Amino acid sequence: MSDKHYLALSGGVGGAKLAHGLAQVLAPEQLTIAVNVGDDFEHLGLPIWPDLDTVLYTLAGIANPDQGWGRADESWQVLDELKQLAGPSWFLLGDKDIALHLARRHLLDQGLDASTVAQSLAKRLGIHQRVLPVSNDPLRTLVETDEGWLEFQRYFVGRRAEPTLQSLQFKGAQQAQLAPGVREALTHPGLAGVILCPSNPYLSIMPMLAVAELKERLQTLTVPVVAVSPIVAGMALKGPAAKIMAELGVEPKANTIAELYHDFVDLTLVDNADAELVAGDRRCLATATVMKTVDDRKALARQCLAEIERLQQC
Ligand code: FO1
């Protein structure tokens, strides 16, 4: 097992939980985690990279346990004072979180690329896995709604994902190159498999697949690709995945995830709650996918690795 390498794709809170499980059961040098960058934006001059930060905080054990994003043991002096000064407070930034954004600003101002910045912050947080943006180039998710086009965070946080989603655009995707470290993981001689963490297929995974080289490489890989459904019993455990699927006219069901990824995913793990639904569907396997504890995260991670092993034997 020790010379094997795995690539995990993650976005959002659910994705970070499985990424954490994988980091717990693999040696650091065995795991590369590529994160979505479509949610990133500049706010009050600060570079906010939510999907990277959620993975960093979760792996470092300092994520806010209730929200999943942001930090535990946070204070809100800056935001409270900002409100008094009639500054924008729709996007909640805690004091320690602001420090991370300032550190990132400082690194970017030295001309470092996004992957180098991510790795520098990971090291400063005591993380030894490679946690990388899917691309070092700008790529931003825009959401077309019944209220017009919205930038991602304005839709997701500003409007609480309430407007009806009509379509998505991944601005910059045409030019965005696959981050070198992610390409290295995909061409690693010991690459044993790829895991799609239980992230929103539309808001987290598709913006990553919009980087053409990533999708092409996943479609031509000779090692197994396993996905974990973020939909359990017709609902998303967190976030608007089921709502978006319904708005796009797609059945918000666990086996729909297998459909969405059919051209590159070999097996989709769905929760036992959906065992009936996927009975007879060879693309799916029912298991325990709801992660309430760190042990649950490790167990699901081990199951992903075991299924990859089994598929490799086939
Ligand atoms: N999500 C919210 O619903 N409200 C917020 O105010 C908020 C602030 C925030 C700050 C930093 C950060 O890294 C994430 C934050 N998130 C917030 C979550 C974020 O919008 C989502 O995690 C991702 O963009 C989608 O997964």
Side-chain angles (χ1 to χ4, degrees), residues 11-13 39 48-51 53-54 69-70 90-93 97 101 152-153 156-157 204:
V13 171
D39 299 3
I48 315 280
W49 299 357
D51 285 349
D53 295 355
T54 300
W69 50 266
W90 62 276
F91 194 78
L92 303 182
L93 289 171
D97 196 35
H101 305 311
F152 180 81
Q153 295 297 348
F156 191 83
V157 176
S204 296

mmCIF file of all heavy atoms in Angstrom, residues 11-13 39 48-51 53-54 69-70 90-93 97 101 152-153 156-157 204, ligand 1:
data_model
loop_
_atom_site.group_PDB
_atom_site.id
_atom_site.type_symbol
_atom_site.label_atom_id
_atom_site.label_comp_id
_atom_site.label_asym_id
_atom_site.label_seq_id
_atom_site.Cartn_x
_atom_site.Cartn_y
_atom_site.Cartn_z
ATOM 1 N N GLY A 11 -14.817 19.579 -2.900
ATOM 2 C CA GLY A 11 -15.359 20.929 -2.795
ATOM 3 C C GLY A 11 -16.356 20.917 -1.658
ATOM 4 O O GLY A 11 -16.983 19.875 -1.392
ATOM 5 N N GLY A 12 -16.493 22.014 -0.961
ATOM 6 C CA GLY A 12 -17.512 22.115 0.069
ATOM 7 C C GLY A 12 -17.190 21.329 1.324
ATOM 8 O O GLY A 12 -16.132 20.715 1.459
ATOM 9 N N VAL A 13 -18.174 21.316 2.217
ATOM 10 C CA VAL A 13 -17.980 20.746 3.550
ATOM 11 C C VAL A 13 -17.955 19.222 3.506
ATOM 12 O O VAL A 13 -17.094 18.577 4.111
ATOM 13 C CB VAL A 13 -19.112 21.263 4.482
ATOM 14 C CG1 VAL A 13 -19.096 20.542 5.819
ATOM 15 C CG2 VAL A 13 -18.986 22.771 4.678
ATOM 16 N N ASP A 39 -15.538 28.754 -6.473
ATOM 17 C CA ASP A 39 -16.185 29.543 -5.412
ATOM 18 C C ASP A 39 -15.297 30.684 -4.946
ATOM 19 O O ASP A 39 -15.720 31.490 -4.121
ATOM 20 C CB ASP A 39 -16.431 28.655 -4.184
ATOM 21 C CG ASP A 39 -17.327 27.496 -4.492
ATOM 22 O OD1 ASP A 39 -17.702 27.343 -5.656
ATOM 23 O OD2 ASP A 39 -17.640 26.742 -3.552
ATOM 24 N N ILE A 48 -10.480 35.161 -1.057
ATOM 25 C CA ILE A 48 -11.213 34.134 -0.313
ATOM 26 C C ILE A 48 -11.259 32.864 -1.151
ATOM 27 O O ILE A 48 -11.739 32.908 -2.286
ATOM 28 C CB ILE A 48 -12.666 34.597 -0.018
ATOM 29 C CG1 ILE A 48 -12.724 36.046 0.485
ATOM 30 C CG2 ILE A 48 -13.352 33.612 0.924
ATOM 31 C CD1 ILE A 48 -12.410 36.266 1.931
ATOM 32 N N TRP A 49 -10.707 31.782 -0.620
ATOM 33 C CA TRP A 49 -10.684 30.507 -1.360
ATOM 34 C C TRP A 49 -11.391 29.452 -0.504
ATOM 35 O O TRP A 49 -10.732 28.622 0.156
ATOM 36 C CB TRP A 49 -9.253 30.066 -1.666
ATOM 37 C CG TRP A 49 -8.444 31.010 -2.507
ATOM 38 C CD1 TRP A 49 -8.868 32.191 -3.075
ATOM 39 C CD2 TRP A 49 -7.070 30.859 -2.900
ATOM 40 N NE1 TRP A 49 -7.841 32.782 -3.776
ATOM 41 C CE2 TRP A 49 -6.723 31.980 -3.691
ATOM 42 C CE3 TRP A 49 -6.098 29.906 -2.650
ATOM 43 C CZ2 TRP A 49 -5.441 32.152 -4.249
ATOM 44 C CZ3 TRP A 49 -4.832 30.057 -3.204
ATOM 45 C CH2 TRP A 49 -4.518 31.178 -3.994
ATOM 46 N N PRO A 50 -12.725 29.443 -0.466
ATOM 47 C CA PRO A 50 -13.479 28.630 0.501
ATOM 48 C C PRO A 50 -13.205 27.134 0.442
ATOM 49 O O PRO A 50 -13.024 26.495 1.476
ATOM 50 C CB PRO A 50 -14.940 28.906 0.150
ATOM 51 C CG PRO A 50 -14.930 30.226 -0.530
ATOM 52 C CD PRO A 50 -13.631 30.263 -1.282
ATOM 53 N N ASP A 51 -13.139 26.549 -0.774
ATOM 54 C CA ASP A 51 -13.000 25.085 -0.818
ATOM 55 C C ASP A 51 -11.604 24.645 -0.403
ATOM 56 O O ASP A 51 -11.456 23.599 0.236
ATOM 57 C CB ASP A 51 -13.375 24.557 -2.205
ATOM 58 C CG ASP A 51 -14.890 24.583 -2.399
ATOM 59 O OD1 ASP A 51 -15.614 24.807 -1.408
ATOM 60 O OD2 ASP A 51 -15.343 24.394 -3.530
ATOM 61 N N ASP A 53 -9.768 26.398 1.843
ATOM 62 C CA ASP A 53 -9.705 26.658 3.289
ATOM 63 C C ASP A 53 -10.502 25.628 4.089
ATOM 64 O O ASP A 53 -10.078 25.230 5.177
ATOM 65 C CB ASP A 53 -10.210 28.071 3.584
ATOM 66 C CG ASP A 53 -9.295 29.130 2.961
ATOM 67 O OD1 ASP A 53 -8.240 28.762 2.399
ATOM 68 O OD2 ASP A 53 -9.661 30.318 3.005
ATOM 69 N N THR A 54 -11.621 25.177 3.537
ATOM 70 C CA THR A 54 -12.417 24.176 4.256
ATOM 71 C C THR A 54 -11.626 22.870 4.383
ATOM 72 O O THR A 54 -11.629 22.232 5.438
ATOM 73 C CB THR A 54 -13.758 23.952 3.521
ATOM 74 O OG1 THR A 54 -14.448 25.206 3.475
ATOM 75 C CG2 THR A 54 -14.636 22.919 4.224
ATOM 76 N N TRP A 69 -17.478 25.103 7.464
ATOM 77 C CA TRP A 69 -16.542 26.093 6.864
ATOM 78 C C TRP A 69 -16.134 27.067 7.987
ATOM 79 O O TRP A 69 -16.715 27.081 9.064
ATOM 80 C CB TRP A 69 -17.193 26.865 5.731
ATOM 81 C CG TRP A 69 -18.531 27.463 6.063
ATOM 82 C CD1 TRP A 69 -19.751 26.900 5.839
ATOM 83 C CD2 TRP A 69 -18.787 28.718 6.723
ATOM 84 N NE1 TRP A 69 -20.742 27.723 6.318
ATOM 85 C CE2 TRP A 69 -20.179 28.842 6.855
ATOM 86 C CE3 TRP A 69 -17.962 29.744 7.196
ATOM 87 C CZ2 TRP A 69 -20.772 29.965 7.445
ATOM 88 C CZ3 TRP A 69 -18.541 30.843 7.786
ATOM 89 C CH2 TRP A 69 -19.939 30.949 7.907
ATOM 90 N N GLY A 70 -15.059 27.856 7.722
ATOM 91 C CA GLY A 70 -14.613 28.788 8.763
ATOM 92 C C GLY A 70 -13.959 28.027 9.915
ATOM 93 O O GLY A 70 -13.843 26.803 9.886
ATOM 94 N N TRP A 90 -22.379 40.792 4.734
ATOM 95 C CA TRP A 90 -23.190 39.644 4.254
ATOM 96 C C TRP A 90 -22.357 38.371 4.195
ATOM 97 O O TRP A 90 -22.891 37.265 4.330
ATOM 98 C CB TRP A 90 -23.790 39.941 2.876
ATOM 99 C CG TRP A 90 -22.779 40.175 1.795
ATOM 100 C CD1 TRP A 90 -22.146 41.345 1.509
ATOM 101 C CD2 TRP A 90 -22.242 39.193 0.882
ATOM 102 N NE1 TRP A 90 -21.253 41.156 0.474
ATOM 103 C CE2 TRP A 90 -21.295 39.853 0.070
ATOM 104 C CE3 TRP A 90 -22.481 37.828 0.666
ATOM 105 C CZ2 TRP A 90 -20.573 39.209 -0.930
ATOM 106 C CZ3 TRP A 90 -21.787 37.165 -0.334
ATOM 107 C CH2 TRP A 90 -20.841 37.867 -1.122
ATOM 108 N N PHE A 91 -21.042 38.512 4.033
ATOM 109 C CA PHE A 91 -20.169 37.333 3.964
ATOM 110 C C PHE A 91 -19.388 37.293 5.274
ATOM 111 O O PHE A 91 -18.585 38.177 5.561
ATOM 112 C CB PHE A 91 -19.233 37.453 2.765
ATOM 113 C CG PHE A 91 -18.533 36.179 2.402
ATOM 114 C CD1 PHE A 91 -19.205 35.166 1.704
ATOM 115 C CD2 PHE A 91 -17.220 35.947 2.786
ATOM 116 C CE1 PHE A 91 -18.566 33.974 1.377
ATOM 117 C CE2 PHE A 91 -16.575 34.761 2.464
ATOM 118 C CZ PHE A 91 -17.245 33.770 1.767
ATOM 119 N N LEU A 92 -19.680 36.262 6.084
ATOM 120 C CA LEU A 92 -19.166 36.255 7.460
ATOM 121 C C LEU A 92 -17.687 35.882 7.502
ATOM 122 O O LEU A 92 -17.289 34.792 7.048
ATOM 123 C CB LEU A 92 -19.978 35.265 8.304
ATOM 124 C CG LEU A 92 -21.493 35.521 8.344
ATOM 125 C CD1 LEU A 92 -22.187 34.502 9.240
ATOM 126 C CD2 LEU A 92 -21.774 36.937 8.817
ATOM 127 N N LEU A 93 -16.882 36.792 8.027
ATOM 128 C CA LEU A 93 -15.443 36.549 8.138
ATOM 129 C C LEU A 93 -15.027 36.709 9.595
ATOM 130 O O LEU A 93 -15.134 37.805 10.162
ATOM 131 C CB LEU A 93 -14.676 37.549 7.261
ATOM 132 C CG LEU A 93 -14.820 37.320 5.750
ATOM 133 C CD1 LEU A 93 -14.204 38.482 4.991
ATOM 134 C CD2 LEU A 93 -14.183 35.994 5.330
ATOM 135 N N ASP A 97 -10.008 33.750 10.593
ATOM 136 C CA ASP A 97 -10.155 33.465 9.157
ATOM 137 C C ASP A 97 -9.573 34.629 8.351
ATOM 138 O O ASP A 97 -8.877 34.427 7.361
ATOM 139 C CB ASP A 97 -11.642 33.263 8.843
ATOM 140 C CG ASP A 97 -11.867 32.603 7.493
ATOM 141 O OD1 ASP A 97 -11.042 31.734 7.108
ATOM 142 O OD2 ASP A 97 -12.802 32.981 6.801
ATOM 143 N N HIS A 101 -6.680 34.926 5.252
ATOM 144 C CA HIS A 101 -6.824 35.639 3.972
ATOM 145 C C HIS A 101 -5.722 36.700 3.813
ATOM 146 O O HIS A 101 -5.194 36.898 2.714
ATOM 147 C CB HIS A 101 -8.212 36.289 3.883
ATOM 148 C CG HIS A 101 -9.336 35.319 4.090
ATOM 149 N ND1 HIS A 101 -9.423 34.116 3.425
ATOM 150 C CD2 HIS A 101 -10.393 35.364 4.939
ATOM 151 C CE1 HIS A 101 -10.502 33.461 3.838
ATOM 152 N NE2 HIS A 101 -11.113 34.198 4.745
ATOM 153 N N PHE A 152 -20.873 33.492 -7.792
ATOM 154 C CA PHE A 152 -21.188 32.342 -6.944
ATOM 155 C C PHE A 152 -21.554 32.700 -5.506
ATOM 156 O O PHE A 152 -22.602 32.319 -4.999
ATOM 157 C CB PHE A 152 -20.028 31.327 -6.937
ATOM 158 C CG PHE A 152 -20.371 30.147 -6.073
ATOM 159 C CD1 PHE A 152 -21.166 29.122 -6.557
ATOM 160 C CD2 PHE A 152 -19.968 30.113 -4.749
ATOM 161 C CE1 PHE A 152 -21.539 28.060 -5.747
ATOM 162 C CE2 PHE A 152 -20.337 29.053 -3.909
ATOM 163 C CZ PHE A 152 -21.122 28.027 -4.418
ATOM 164 N N GLN A 153 -20.696 33.444 -4.816
ATOM 165 C CA GLN A 153 -20.961 33.689 -3.394
ATOM 166 C C GLN A 153 -22.175 34.603 -3.195
ATOM 167 O O GLN A 153 -22.862 34.516 -2.180
ATOM 168 C CB GLN A 153 -19.715 34.284 -2.705
ATOM 169 C CG GLN A 153 -18.513 33.344 -2.663
ATOM 170 C CD GLN A 153 -18.737 32.064 -1.859
ATOM 171 O OE1 GLN A 153 -19.719 31.948 -1.122
ATOM 172 N NE2 GLN A 153 -17.846 31.105 -2.015
ATOM 173 N N PHE A 156 -24.793 31.908 -3.463
ATOM 174 C CA PHE A 156 -24.757 30.853 -2.438
ATOM 175 C C PHE A 156 -24.946 31.425 -1.032
ATOM 176 O O PHE A 156 -25.713 30.912 -0.232
ATOM 177 C CB PHE A 156 -23.402 30.134 -2.530
ATOM 178 C CG PHE A 156 -23.314 28.877 -1.720
ATOM 179 C CD1 PHE A 156 -23.798 27.680 -2.207
ATOM 180 C CD2 PHE A 156 -22.750 28.897 -0.445
ATOM 181 C CE1 PHE A 156 -23.711 26.518 -1.455
ATOM 182 C CE2 PHE A 156 -22.670 27.751 0.314
ATOM 183 C CZ PHE A 156 -23.152 26.556 -0.193
ATOM 184 N N VAL A 157 -24.238 32.530 -0.754
ATOM 185 C CA VAL A 157 -24.309 33.123 0.587
ATOM 186 C C VAL A 157 -25.261 34.317 0.595
ATOM 187 O O VAL A 157 -26.181 34.396 1.396
ATOM 188 C CB VAL A 157 -22.917 33.574 1.049
ATOM 189 C CG1 VAL A 157 -23.007 34.283 2.393
ATOM 190 C CG2 VAL A 157 -21.970 32.381 1.142
ATOM 191 N N SER A 204 -19.379 22.004 -7.260
ATOM 192 C CA SER A 204 -17.999 21.695 -6.864
ATOM 193 C C SER A 204 -17.259 20.845 -7.893
ATOM 194 O O SER A 204 -16.121 21.143 -8.230
ATOM 195 C CB SER A 204 -17.996 20.948 -5.522
ATOM 196 O OG SER A 204 -18.494 21.771 -4.499
HETATM 197 N N1 FO1 B 1 -21.132 30.162 3.822
HETATM 198 C C1 FO1 B 1 -22.290 30.781 4.237
HETATM 199 O O1 FO1 B 1 -23.362 30.206 4.051
HETATM 200 N N2 FO1 B 1 -22.271 32.014 4.822
HETATM 201 C C2 FO1 B 1 -21.118 32.688 5.021
HETATM 202 O O2 FO1 B 1 -21.150 33.821 5.530
HETATM 203 C C3 FO1 B 1 -19.885 32.060 4.642
HETATM 204 C C4 FO1 B 1 -18.644 32.675 4.863
HETATM 205 C C5 FO1 B 1 -17.463 31.969 4.533
HETATM 206 C C6 FO1 B 1 -16.208 32.518 4.808
HETATM 207 C C7 FO1 B 1 -15.055 31.825 4.462
HETATM 208 C C8 FO1 B 1 -15.140 30.574 3.846
HETATM 209 O O3 FO1 B 1 -14.016 29.899 3.526
HETATM 210 C C9 FO1 B 1 -16.391 30.001 3.565
HETATM 211 C C10 FO1 B 1 -17.555 30.710 3.905
HETATM 212 N N3 FO1 B 1 -18.810 30.155 3.652
HETATM 213 C C11 FO1 B 1 -19.962 30.787 4.034
HETATM 214 C C12 FO1 B 1 -18.959 28.876 2.977
HETATM 215 C C13 FO1 B 1 -18.734 29.015 1.507
HETATM 216 O O4 FO1 B 1 -19.557 29.955 0.892
HETATM 217 C C14 FO1 B 1 -18.968 27.610 0.929
HETATM 218 O O5 FO1 B 1 -18.310 26.705 1.732
HETATM 219 C C15 FO1 B 1 -18.347 27.348 -0.396
HETATM 220 O O6 FO1 B 1 -18.154 28.426 -1.162
HETATM 221 C C16 FO1 B 1 -19.236 26.304 -1.085
HETATM 222 O O7 FO1 B 1 -18.857 25.074 -0.655
#
